[in-house]
Amino acid sequence: KAKEAGKNNCQFYTRGMSASAVNYLLLENDLRRAVEQQQLILHYQPQIDLQTGEITGVEALVRWQHPERGLVSPALFIPLAEETGLIVPIGEWVLREACRQQKAWLDAGKKIGRMAVNLSPRQFRQKNFPGKVEAILRETRLSADYLELEITESCAMENASEAINQLNQLHQMGLYLAIDDFGTGYSSLAYLQRFPIQKLKIDSSFIHDIRDDQNDAAIARTIIGLARNLHLKVIAEGIETEYQADWLRQHGCDQGQGFLYAKPLTALQIEAHFHAGKFSFDGNVVSLDSVA
Ligand code: C2E
Ligand code: MG
Ligand code: MG
Ligand code: MG
């Protein structure tokens, strides 16, 4: 049964609500057709420079517009797609659509910084994955400078030596690489410093209670310090309050992403933030002459 959830004011399903195996199987059948029936859509969540307030990029987040169920959250169908292998065509669609949109915005003079795309483990580990990215960049005529790829810490660390090999190929193509959900996995620091990455994303679970939970605050401080020492950019996910933003700014976190700034927005909503070629955020006009 669908329920009005807060996120994007749309209908979402959670595991709890669709727990039955039958439901899950029905969903799998529907998911097989989702790509060809053009039911997937991308939303884009701005990433903000905490010092200047400028937009540094957007993260593409997939949603599934199910004909009967309404908007289905990726938290539900991405794990299903991963289990069934459907993540390969879905992930390819996401990458192509994100590149197409970024190129269209660039051609229209709408600079939103980098377009970040999430990769799932099965997608990332495909032997020919770097080649697929290269083909999509060529097809969409997008320069690699404008694309960022996110892999989760657990994906990177699970098979670290293969991940390094894969990341090196992507890095040589000129892509910007980020480790997502950082702090939730089991990082080997020896491997971390061998990854050709540019950015760590502090998982939102450490940001949520940063005011009241000294352990969360200590972990966030540690990740910021680690990023600093490894010469990586660091971004905090899930910023919802001014207190969290101020704390992160004061502790040297470079960037932030969260409902405080913007929820994931449709392409049209992103475009509505442009005035005279500049992305204006809550009346705060910023210039974007180069990719941050
Ligand atoms: P993620 O990559 O860590 O993305 C951040 C999630 O946090 C997004 O959820 C976003 O809407 C949510 N979020 C952002 N700001 C806030 C905030 O201030 N408060 C709260 N409570 N939440 C916030 P979403 O869009 O539901 O995506 C969930 C996860 O699904 C993503 O986590 C990512 O792991 C996965 N996902 C989404 N799109 C894709 C995709 O295209 N491919 C793959 N492989 N995974 C995807
Ligand atoms: Mg992400
Ligand atoms: Mg994340
Ligand atoms: Mg997360």
Side-chain angles (χ1 to χ4, degrees):
K1 254 179 53 188
K3 165 175 170 270
E4 280 289 314
K7 276 188 174 180
N8 298 340
N9 301 318
C10 289
Q11 290 181 313
F12 276 88
Y13 285 78
T14 68
R15 282 185 178 283
M17 285 182 274
S18 61
S20 87
V22 174
N23 206 350
Y24 211 60
L25 279 174
L26 289 175
L27 209 58
E28 180 183 336
N29 273 328
D30 292 351
L31 191 56
R32 281 184 196 286
R33 289 187 290 266
V35 173
E36 57 196 65
Q37 301 200 344
Q38 301 181 322
Q39 292 169 358
L40 299 181
I41 182 175
L42 294 185
H43 285 185
Y44 305 90
Q45 188 175 36
Q47 300 183 342
I48 302 302
D49 182 312
L50 289 177
Q51 297 300 331
T52 65
E54 294 186 17
I55 189 172
T56 60
V58 296
E59 178 177 5
L61 294 157
V62 69
R63 278 90 182 83
W64 177 15
Q65 290 178 309
H66 190 284
E68 288 111 39
R69 295 163 184 261
L71 212 55
V72 183
S73 162
L76 176 67
F77 72 86
I78 292 291
L80 175 62
E82 181 76 20
E83 279 168 42
T84 54
L86 288 168
I87 194 63
V88 171
I90 289 174
E92 234 168 276
W93 179 86
V94 168
L95 195 57
R96 183 175 291 109
E97 175 61 12
C99 290
R100 187 203 61 75
Q101 182 63 77
Q102 173 71 313
K103 176 67 173 163
W105 280 334
L106 285 168
D107 286 350
K110 296 185 165 82
K111 296 187 175 176
I112 45 87
R114 282 194 196 81
M115 172 70 70
V117 174
N118 291 284
L119 304 179
S120 82
R122 201 150 159 177
Q123 182 186 14
F124 173 71
R125 286 175 193 149
Q126 293 172 96
K127 281 282 165 286
N128 60 345
F129 180 70
K132 284 188 172 183
V133 176
E134 197 152 45
I136 288 173
L137 287 172
R138 205 177 319 117
E139 176 191 326
T140 56
R141 292 176 297 116
L142 180 71
S143 156
D145 303 345
Y146 292 101
L147 182 63
E148 175 173 333
L149 298 178
E150 298 186 3
I151 62 165
T152 64
E153 180 187 25
S154 43
C155 171
M157 291 298 166
E158 224 164 79
N159 215 325
S161 53
E162 277 176 32
I164 288 175
N165 180 45
Q166 203 77 324
L167 291 169
N168 275 333
Q169 289 187 57
L170 294 166
H171 179 63
Q172 278 156 22
M173 289 163 52
L175 293 158
Y176 201 84
L177 302 171
I179 302 291
D180 201 359
D181 301 346
F182 194 79
T184 62
Y186 304 90
S187 259
S188 149
L189 299 182
Y191 277 125
L192 191 65
Q193 53 126 0
R194 290 178 55 198
F195 289 153
I197 54 168
Q198 284 71 50
K199 187 171 174 181
L200 296 182
K201 300 193 74 177
I202 307 175
D203 191 70
S204 58
S205 59
F206 304 111
I207 307 305
H208 191 260
D209 289 327
I210 213 163
R211 182 205 285 264
D212 302 315
D213 189 323
Q214 287 313 302
N215 293 328
D216 285 350
I219 289 169
R221 253 198 309 271
T222 302
I223 296 174
I224 293 167
L226 180 64
R228 182 128 305 193
N229 290 322
L230 294 177
H231 307 291
L232 304 174
K233 287 272 183 214
V234 58
I235 182 169
E237 300 187 294
I239 301 181
E240 295 183 350
T241 68
E242 290 288 355
Y243 179 92
Q244 293 164 347
D246 289 340
W247 189 99
L248 288 158
R249 197 179 297 114
Q250 280 159 23
H251 287 83
C253 186
D254 300 302
Q255 299 167 11
Q257 182 180 347
F259 297 167
L260 175 65
Y261 306 104
K263 292 194 168 181
L265 304 170
T266 64
L268 279 175
Q269 288 170 322
I270 290 280
E271 285 163 24
H273 280 273
F274 275 92
H275 302 284
K278 292 176 191 294
F279 188 92
S280 112
F281 214 70
D282 284 344
N284 180 16
V285 178
V286 299
S287 70
L288 286 163
D289 293 332
S290 62
V291 177

